[in-house]
Amino acid sequence: DGIPVVIHDETVDRTTDGHGRVGDLTVADLSKLDAGRSFGRTNPIARVPTLDTVLAWARGRIRVVIELKGIENSELIRRTIESIRKFELDDDVLLISFDHGAVGQARILARLISGGILYANRPTDPVALAMAVGADVICPHWSLATREVVLAAHAASLGVSVWTAKSRNGSSTPVV
């Protein structure tokens, strides 16, 4: 139904007790699913939240990184930006995506909201990729964040935020 929600996968199969593509379900459908199943049955039922719910909670508390997914419908990018603006979080959100065109589209619609390009393979020139879509940050897999890449990004006034970096205790620790 076009309302942005916060969920990792394209389908609800792995992370909830439901089945199907997120884009084929309504918010009402999603609100009935138990999204806490991967955490064990001792936890209370967790629901798939709307982006508005998460942003309302985050406002004044934390900065938020939103990975744009399911953006084959460009309306979703516009609605995501509307939600960010509704909660006056332009300065507290980083929009990232493996779809660099989506980051470019978001930057055209909202220059004040930071954008970052995700990548898992070694591009020839990650700085040029970021600059081509107006991104502020490169977001490589941690194994691709070499000294040379970081120095080149910083020389171009780009931030660097790696993903899937693990600390010694196994928890995720993004680096900016």
Side-chain angles (χ1 to χ4, degrees), residues 53-172:
T53 300
V54 172
L55 294 179
W57 175 87
R59 187 171 187 230
R61 288 190 171 111
I62 62 169
R63 298 191 74 211
V64 179
V65 177
I66 299 171
E67 183 179 350
L68 297 170
K69 294 183 176 183
I71 42 78
E72 59 277 352
N73 174 0
S74 62
E75 183 68 14
L76 189 57
I77 296 170
R78 188 186 61 74
R79 288 184 180 190
T80 298
I81 290 168
E82 285 175 358
S83 290
I84 294 165
R85 287 182 169 155
K86 176 171 36 175
F87 293 99
E88 300 175 344
L89 291 170
D90 290 39
D91 293 335
D92 292 319
V93 168
L94 172 63
L95 292 174
I96 62 174
S97 186
F98 282 102
D99 183 333
H100 302 165
V103 174
Q105 184 178 354
R107 297 289 288 150
I108 289 168
L109 295 171
R111 290 297 306 164
L112 297 179
I113 300 173
S114 296
I117 60 163
L118 285 161
Y119 58 94
N121 297 315
R122 189 175 310 279
T124 302
D125 189 346
V127 170
L129 283 176
M131 302 298 272
V133 297
D136 307 290
V137 179
I138 61 170
C139 307
H141 182 269
W142 69 269
S143 64
L144 302 174
T146 64
R147 178 176 173 75
E148 295 76 22
V149 167
V150 172
L151 289 174
H154 289 171
S157 299
L158 295 173
V160 179
S161 180
V162 301
W163 52 276
T164 317
K166 301 286 185 177
S167 67
R168 289 186 181 152
N169 69 5
S171 65
S172 293

Side-chain angles (χ1 to χ4, degrees), residues 25-48:
L25 301 170
T26 65
V27 167
D29 296 333
L30 291 168
S31 72
K32 296 173 187 166
L33 302 178
D34 179 358
R37 73 184 222 167
S38 61
F39 299 106
R41 284 289 163 212
T42 58
N43 291 326
I45 292 175
R47 301 293 180 203
V48 176

